Amino acid sequence: MHERQAVARRALAEAPAHLLVERLAECLAEAYGIDDVELYQVDYRLAALLPLGGGETLTSGDDPAWRSFDEQAEVVDGPARYLPVTMRGERMGVLRLAPVTGHASELAEIATMLAHELSAVRGSTDRYTVAARSRRLSLAAEMQWELLPGRSRARPAFSLAGQLEPAYAVRGDSFDWADDADRLYLTTLNGMGEGVAAASLTSLATNALRNARRAGLDLGDQAALADQAVWAYHGGTQHVSALLLQLDLATGLVTAVDAGSPRLMILRDGEVIDQELVAQFPLGMFEGTMYHEQRFHLAAGDRLMVVSDGVLDAISAAGQYGDQQLASFVRDARSLAPLQAVRSLLADLRAFVGGDLVDDAVAVCLDWAPA
């Protein structure tokens, strides 16, 4: 590591949580002669890049900041350099630096350092969370976003992303994931009901599933434990539809439990395949339900797409969004990275209905690319 980068690292590590960008700017001015520093964070809807220091919101995909975000690469435009602020695949935004100097690779690494520090301090300051909102979240949406593990994740063996809609007023739809050395766990959930009641129900199921997973239980037993937890609190009056997946990252073997799940599709060699699973009862519907695991294999290069009924059932004056339009979108979006794919899908859905969705929707996209 160059001494300039070491100085930047120390500046970030020692900065007060709410002054990361300001302390970094001081360091960059002294070490690189850069006197204009701005952090643009992507908003909850993945539709705008919002400047931390105030100023113009960026919504055009042709803007250099958006090109840097989408391509995950440096973009130089006139007097400014744009660098992705990304940590382990989690795309947080873009760093704008001016004037353009040398040391491009050093500055790119410093932008990654900033991403790690932003992730570390989010629990201790509201500054960055608030600045990433283009409008106020509903209480239910606040609960749902705090529950998520992130919006995107990348490792050599896979790339993964998920998105909720309506982003600022989502209620019961959610997703969760975790990965270790050789496995990836992916869950999508939809708690019944409206508002805070639905968000609370989904939170209960998510944490019950996490508790079972961290106890080392098999996937079927994870579902059974979460089923018992929801039943214990609601006695069958409320339930959670869920899809539990476990991917062996080396072999592509997927273990699945379908508990009233959303739609599961695989894009393979340009063809959209509906992955049929045996539907079982939603979590909490009946006492003592036993859940059975099913298995199927992904092929190298497969894309797995999960969407909730809020996508398929969306309605406009032209009719229902439906299977055919969804399959067409999945095929056409193959060249997009997973985060761009889910963003584009839900933007397409908003355009279809002419505004915010009436029902919740969740979309999750996973690319498997073994070494």
Side-chain angles (χ1 to χ4, degrees):
M1 179 183 293
H2 194 279
E3 177 61 25
R4 288 185 294 261
Q5 292 171 291
V7 171
R9 183 184 292 277
R10 287 195 297 271
L12 287 167
E14 295 170 2
H18 65 291
L19 293 177
L20 290 178
V21 177
E22 287 78 2
R23 293 293 184 267
L24 178 61
E26 294 171 3
C27 175
L28 294 179
E30 182 175 347
Y32 296 95
I34 294 170
D35 57 16
D36 183 1
V37 177
E38 181 61 277
L39 171 66
Y40 289 89
Q41 296 182 104
V42 68
D43 87 314
Y44 284 70
R45 181 171 273 179
L46 296 172
L49 288 170
L50 306 174
L52 182 67
E56 182 183 1
T57 295
L58 306 179
T59 57
S60 171
D62 294 329
D63 190 281
W66 269 111
R67 297 205 309 271
S68 178
F69 183 87
D70 287 337
E71 297 167 13
Q72 287 295 283
E74 175 191 81
V75 171
V76 174
D77 184 74
R81 167 183 279 131
Y82 298 85
L83 296 166
V85 178
T86 299
M87 180 203 68
R88 299 181 184 274
E90 177 70 12
R91 303 187 187 188
M92 301 176 182
V94 173
L95 190 64
R96 180 186 185 275
L97 306 175
V100 175
T101 63
H103 317 293
S105 61
E106 290 181 24
L107 293 169
E109 290 183 27
I110 289 172
T112 300
M113 293 178 195
L114 175 60
H116 281 267
E117 289 296 330
L118 287 169
S119 178
V121 304
R122 282 187 184 275
S124 60
T125 177
D126 288 336
R127 185 185 182 198
Y128 309 105
T129 302
V130 171
R133 301 176 179 190
S134 60
R135 56 186 164 110
R136 183 176 177 178
L137 267 68
S138 68
L139 176 55
E142 189 85 52
M143 295 168 66
Q144 290 292 60
W145 284 105
E146 288 297 311
L147 191 63
L148 296 182
R151 238 182 335 204
S152 50
R153 179 83 169 95
R155 276 178 51 183
F158 71 86
S159 182
L160 170 67
Q163 177 63 8
L164 307 178
E165 186 67 26
Y168 289 88
V170 68
R171 298 172 291 277
D173 282 17
S174 188
F175 56 83
D176 193 31
W177 61 62
D179 63 286
D180 56 27
D182 55 9
R183 287 173 296 186
L184 169 68
Y185 296 93
L186 171 61
T187 306
T188 55
L189 308 98
N190 181 6
M192 68 179 293
E194 298 292 332
V196 171
S200 298
L201 185 60
T202 297
S203 178
L204 172 61
T206 299
N207 282 291
L209 288 168
R210 288 174 178 171
N211 178 255
R213 184 185 72 229
R214 291 164 182 170
L217 301 185
D218 291 337
L219 209 64
D221 291 335
Q222 292 176 30
L225 186 146
D227 173 71
Q228 293 167 19
V230 176
W231 172 268
Y233 277 90
H234 297 286
T237 61
Q238 303 287 313
H239 59 262
V240 180
S241 298
L243 174 64
L244 286 66
L245 302 174
Q246 176 188 298
L247 170 63
D248 186 308
L249 294 173
T251 67
L253 176 66
V254 179
T255 304
V257 172
D258 180 344
S261 75
R263 177 77 170 276
L264 175 62
M265 297 166 292
I266 296 172
L267 179 64
R268 177 178 298 159
D269 298 328
E271 180 184 359
V272 177
I273 303 166
D274 284 321
Q275 181 59 54
E276 298 292 340
L277 297 172
V278 177
Q280 302 176 70
F281 292 127
L283 306 178
M285 179 171 281
F286 298 106
E287 185 176 13
T289 302
M290 301 299 293
Y291 290 90
H292 303 287
E293 299 174 356
Q294 302 167 72
R295 291 173 176 81
F296 60 92
H297 274 90
L298 294 181
D302 276 357
R303 165 165 287 182
L304 186 150
M305 196 91 181
V306 184
V307 299
S308 67
D309 55 8
V311 173
L312 290 167
D313 295 344
I315 294 180
S316 73
Q320 190 170 339
Y321 193 78
D323 294 339
Q324 186 173 354
Q325 190 156 336
L326 176 61
S328 177
F329 176 89
V330 172
R331 281 192 299 270
D332 293 344
R334 182 63 185 93
S335 63
L336 300 179
L339 187 66
Q340 293 169 276
V342 296
R343 183 180 84 198
S344 296
L345 172 59
L346 293 176
D348 189 56
L349 205 61
R350 289 195 300 272
F352 178 77
V353 302
D356 282 346
L357 303 186
V358 175
D359 193 12
D360 287 4
V362 61
V364 177
C365 181
L366 166 67
D367 288 347
W368 180 60

